[in-house]
Amino acid sequence: MTCLLERGARATVDYCRISLDRSGAAEGVESQHDENEDAAIELDVDITRTYTDNDVSAFSGVERPEYNRLISDMKAGLIGLVIIWHANRLHRTSEEVNPFIKLARKHGVRLYSTTKGGFYNLEKASGRKELRDDTSAAEYESEHRGERVTIARKRQARQGAYGGGFRPYGWGVDTGRVRSVCVNPKAPPMDRRYEDRPVLDMSQHNEAETAEIRRWASALLSGVPMGQVLRDLAERNVPTAVQSDGRILRRNRKPVEVKGWNSNTVRGILTHPRTSGHMIYQGEIIRRDVLPPILPEDIRQALITMFADPKRKTSPGNVPRWLGSLIYQCGQCNDGTTAKATRKNGRMVYRCALRGDCSHTIEDVDAYVRKVIIARLSRDDLAELLPNQGKRLSVEEVAALRQEIEALHQRKRDASRRWTLMKMDDDELDEVRTIADTRIEEIRAQLRDSTAESPLAEFLLTDDAARTWDGLTLGRQREILKMLITVKLMPIGRGRSEKSIPITERVKIAPVIPDIAA
């Protein structure tokens, strides 16, 4: 194959191609070449070069390196005869046939088909028509097969059957059966390795992963930032589906390192229709409520609305690692300036984020704040602290409100176009925008009230507030802190140490909601 065709010699060559070589052993193209060699013997010619595209589709737009070299050598006048096994090995689309015929006629290249058992006489209309017809038949067969596959996959989706690929997070229960899978299918037959993989029931929840999904939804709807959710996943070493299954993720046939969770992955899982039991095909829901839902549809819709809120902060930034970082206030400034965590003399302290005043040891302050919060969460009147949750909206009501938001955004865009065309003045444009923005915010608040979860709710179900508090993620703890109390770090004064001043004087706590005593 690496030999060069000599100029002046009108060579006999053959072209072989197979679209999908599952074994990687090129057995299909070798069989074609053997058949072509037999045909060459009958024609009393020698094949001096073989052009082989293995595991390459013949559809237009797909690069076929060897076919391109064949065309180049035909243009160079190096080839007199091309032997093919079948017309569908040379082309699979009608658009490619005419340029090939034109080129072959121009350079006097003959075309022989092994399966046809004869030449395509490209100098006659009947011969050209025969090649076109054979190619069109192959094109129809391929398109028809594609349609059958499409219908089968769509039927699978409607029935809730798993269509293959990587296991979606939250789904898959071990059935106790295994199947043998080749882990290196492109290796030579003698070198292939096989491993047994469990057969999963993809219509059932993976309980551990389902609990994670519900945990994320609850946290985010309670106001916990996405960054805190991701930090919690990293600290608990929660694996992704790919990591759990030990699979190798590939892009463009090259292995890709799986680095764990990111906001796009979490958002995609929470908002995917399958999470609410719906089946999709080509990105569209084709049947609802086929599978048991992980999240109710109204919760999924609320998450979609929340993620779409333009006011939501999406830049990653630094995720706080301490309970009171950027929440506790500086008592020296006394104007709402917060304290940040920093290191001083080998220990972590809270200091004024603006001026660096009021340094307090993090461990001491957080322990005191924890004690105050747990004391309040242990009281019998805890239920009074829970906000009055709005009326639970139905799925249809949620969908209608989301459609209204989109309609209001469209009105704003239409108003901007009218203003651009000088059909509306500045005051009218501002009025349209103000009214639309006000209504959009009202709808978002209604959706939040209907689906939001109070981070205090689980304390109603426990008799050990301290254990429940310690079991929360840092993000949840910070949301409860902001909900219940305001913490001010007071100045210590020159020449005095923290230990010489009672914690109750150094750290002033006031209730956000009345009747929360420090």
Side-chain angles (χ1 to χ4, degrees):
M1 263 208 239
T2 57
C3 64
L4 295 176
L5 298 174
E6 297 179 2
R7 287 195 173 274
R10 299 278 287 173
T12 296
V13 303
D14 75 327
Y15 177 77
C16 307
R17 182 193 61 80
I18 185 172
S19 296
L20 180 62
D21 181 12
R22 294 186 182 277
S23 70
E27 294 172 350
V29 290
E30 287 184 1
S31 297
Q32 292 174 36
H33 178 64
D34 289 343
E35 294 284 336
N36 294 343
E37 284 277 15
D38 290 342
I41 292 173
E42 293 180 6
L43 295 172
D44 195 23
V45 295
D46 294 326
I47 294 177
T48 57
R49 179 169 184 175
T50 296
Y51 299 82
T52 302
D53 281 316
N54 187 45
D55 201 18
V56 178
S57 171
F59 278 101
S60 179
V62 177
E63 184 71 19
R64 290 193 284 160
E66 287 292 287
Y67 177 81
N68 292 338
R69 278 191 278 272
L70 170 66
I71 296 300
S72 295
D73 288 344
M74 287 172 61
K75 290 179 179 179
L78 304 178
I79 298 174
L81 171 62
V82 176
I83 300 177
I84 57 175
W85 183 73
H86 189 281
N88 63 14
R89 299 301 89 193
L90 191 61
H91 305 110
R92 290 293 287 273
T93 62
S94 302
E95 290 80 2
E96 289 184 330
V97 177
N98 287 332
F100 179 86
I101 291 174
K102 184 177 179 180
L103 180 66
R105 293 182 67 193
K106 178 179 179 180
H107 295 280
V109 178
R110 295 182 298 164
L111 182 65
Y112 183 90
S113 168
T114 300
T115 54
K116 171 181 163 61
F119 288 92
Y120 288 103
N121 189 345
L122 302 182
E123 295 302 318
K124 291 187 176 182
S126 59
R128 296 192 292 272
K129 179 178 182 299
E130 191 176 11
L131 178 59
R132 293 190 187 102
D133 289 346
D134 287 350
T135 304
S136 294
E139 184 176 17
Y140 165 77
E141 179 187 348
S142 179
E143 290 177 350
H144 185 52
R145 185 187 304 113
E147 289 173 355
R148 292 199 305 270
V149 171
T150 297
I151 291 171
R153 288 181 177 173
K154 195 170 185 179
R155 182 173 62 250
Q156 277 185 321
R158 284 200 182 101
Q159 295 172 348
Y162 180 51
F166 284 104
R167 177 178 66 85
Y169 191 81
W171 300 89
V173 174
D174 194 343
T175 62
R177 296 181 287 116
V178 297
R179 62 187 178 93
S180 182
V181 177
C182 180
V183 296
N184 58 337
K186 292 198 172 184
M190 297 297 294
D191 295 332
R192 291 179 202 158
R193 293 180 290 104
Y194 294 84
E195 65 180 29
D196 289 338
R197 290 182 182 170
V199 176
L200 304 179
D201 181 354
M202 297 303 296
S203 67
Q204 299 298 317
H205 296 165
N206 179 309
E207 293 301 331
E209 295 177 355
T210 297
E212 283 294 334
I213 293 173
R214 291 170 178 160
R215 177 176 180 148
W216 307 340
S218 176
L220 291 166
L221 291 173
S222 297
V224 177
M226 176 66 81
Q228 290 287 359
V229 172
L230 296 175
R231 178 180 289 278
D232 174 58
L233 286 168
E235 290 176 348
R236 293 187 293 115
N237 293 318
V238 177
T240 65
V242 173
Q243 291 170 330
S244 293
D245 297 348
R247 302 288 294 275
I248 298 176
L249 183 63
R250 297 180 184 274
R251 291 193 180 96
N252 298 324
R253 300 186 179 183
K254 295 181 179 180
V256 177
E257 180 183 0
V258 179
K259 297 183 179 180
W261 296 101
N262 58 60
S263 59
N264 289 333
T265 302
V266 172
R267 187 183 301 112
I269 292 171
L270 291 173
T271 59
H272 196 283
R274 187 184 179 99
T275 303
S276 291
H278 311 319
M279 297 306 298
I280 66 168
Y281 180 73
Q282 294 184 348
E284 298 292 333
I285 296 177
I286 63 171
R287 189 176 175 190
R288 294 180 175 272
D289 305 319
V290 180
L291 302 172
I294 296 175
L295 296 177
E297 176 65 8
D298 59 337
I299 296 296
R300 187 177 76 90
Q301 292 292 341
L303 288 164
I304 292 173
T305 302
M306 181 188 71
F307 291 134
D309 189 347
K311 295 182 180 179
R312 178 180 173 81
K313 181 181 178 181
T314 56
S315 58
N318 293 322
V319 179
R321 300 179 59 185
W322 309 98
L323 178 62
S325 181
L326 301 179
I327 296 178
Y328 298 161
Q329 298 180 13
C330 173
Q332 179 73 25
C333 297
N334 201 30
D335 58 1
T337 300
T338 59
K340 66 178 181 180
T342 186
R343 184 173 296 277
K344 179 182 179 183
N345 298 330
R347 60 191 176 95
M348 294 302 297
V349 298
Y350 289 119
R351 299 181 67 176
C352 173
L354 183 63
R355 300 170 51 183
D357 297 329
C358 307
S359 295
H360 294 261
T361 303
I362 285 180
E363 184 179 354
D364 294 344
V365 177
D366 284 354
Y368 176 52
V369 170
R370 173 186 178 276
K371 178 180 177 182
V372 172
I373 291 176
I374 289 175
R376 182 60 185 95
L377 295 176
S378 301
R379 285 169 47 174
D380 294 336
D381 59 349
L382 176 62
E384 297 178 4
L385 298 180
L386 270 68
N388 294 323
Q389 191 168 0
K391 171 182 172 290
R392 187 82 171 189
L393 299 175
S394 67
V395 174
E396 292 75 16
E397 289 172 323
V398 171
L401 289 173
R402 292 187 68 241
Q403 289 176 2
E404 185 178 349
I405 289 177
E406 180 55 36
L408 289 166
H409 282 305
Q410 185 60 49
R411 290 182 186 178
K412 290 170 62 178
R413 290 191 289 268
D414 291 342
S416 296
R417 292 191 190 98
R418 290 176 58 83
W419 178 83
T420 302
L421 297 173
M422 302 182 68
K423 295 182 178 181
M424 178 182 290
D425 61 31
D426 292 351
D427 291 339
E428 290 174 319
L429 177 62
D430 289 341
E431 183 179 5
V432 170
R433 287 177 171 174
T434 300
I435 294 174
D437 288 340
T438 300
R439 177 56 183 155
I440 288 172
E441 187 53 42
E442 289 175 355
I443 294 173
R444 293 193 188 280
Q446 187 177 354
L447 291 170
R448 285 194 297 268
D449 291 343
S450 173
T451 57
E453 298 184 19
S454 171
L456 302 179
E458 53 193 303
F459 286 90
L460 294 174
L461 307 175
T462 182
D463 56 359
D464 190 337
R467 184 179 68 244
T468 303
W469 170 267
D470 292 338
L472 296 177
T473 64
L474 179 62
R476 283 268 190 167
Q477 292 176 347
R478 286 169 58 85
E479 291 304 312
I480 292 175
L481 166 63
K482 290 187 287 186
M483 178 183 292
L484 295 184
I485 58 178
T486 298
V487 179
K488 287 189 178 181
L489 307 180
M490 307 307 294
I492 295 175
R494 292 183 178 277
R496 305 181 67 185
S497 67
E498 286 185 84
K499 300 300 182 183
S500 66
I501 305 174
I503 189 73
T504 53
E505 294 183 17
R506 291 189 286 116
V507 181
K508 296 295 184 180
I509 296 179
V512 172
I513 303 174
D515 197 27
I516 301 181

